[in-house]
Amino acid sequence: MSDPVTLVVSELVTNAIMHSGGTQAGFRMQLRDGLLYLAVGSDTPGKPAVHEPNTEAEHGRGLQLVEFVVLGSGGVWGISDDGATVWCLFPAKGEDR
């Protein structure tokens, strides 16, 4: 489970730093009732969205990747109403749950 979670956290933190326009980014992770909750937010609300970049674009696939990894792991993800936080829920797996 660590590889998908690491990839999603890396992507979301990078997005918060590179695209929010804010001065702070925060990360939260909790394990509760067999679910791993993680959230990455910035101090600047926005409208993060999944985009369809053209085939030659070097950027713009981050939330597509997040969506693919989270859903492929049996989880769900979303964006807060104000757009400042992207969150994910992963089913916890393994003996350490």
Side-chain angles (χ1 to χ4, degrees):
M1 176 174 177
S2 64
D3 289 342
V5 171
T6 300
L7 180 61
V8 167
V9 169
S10 174
E11 188 59 44
L12 293 179
V13 169
T14 299
N15 283 354
I17 292 168
M18 299 297 293
H19 302 296
S20 74
T23 59
Q24 295 182 20
F27 168 70
R28 181 175 178 184
M29 182 183 292
Q30 285 183 296
L31 182 61
R32 187 182 311 159
D33 299 326
L35 295 172
L36 177 65
Y37 168 81
L38 63 90
V40 175
S42 70
D43 60 345
T44 305
K47 294 291 181 187
V50 176
H51 296 285
E52 282 291 328
N54 70 46
T55 57
E56 297 179 22
E58 293 183 17
H59 303 284
R61 294 173 182 84
L63 288 180
Q64 284 181 327
L65 180 62
V66 168
E67 182 175 60
F68 179 80
V69 171
V70 172
L71 296 179
S73 298
V76 295
W77 75 285
I79 301 169
S80 64
D81 289 341
D82 67 358
T85 302
V86 178
W87 58 267
C88 305
L89 281 173
F90 287 90
K93 300 176 184 172
E95 297 175 18
D96 297 330
R97 210 170 48 135

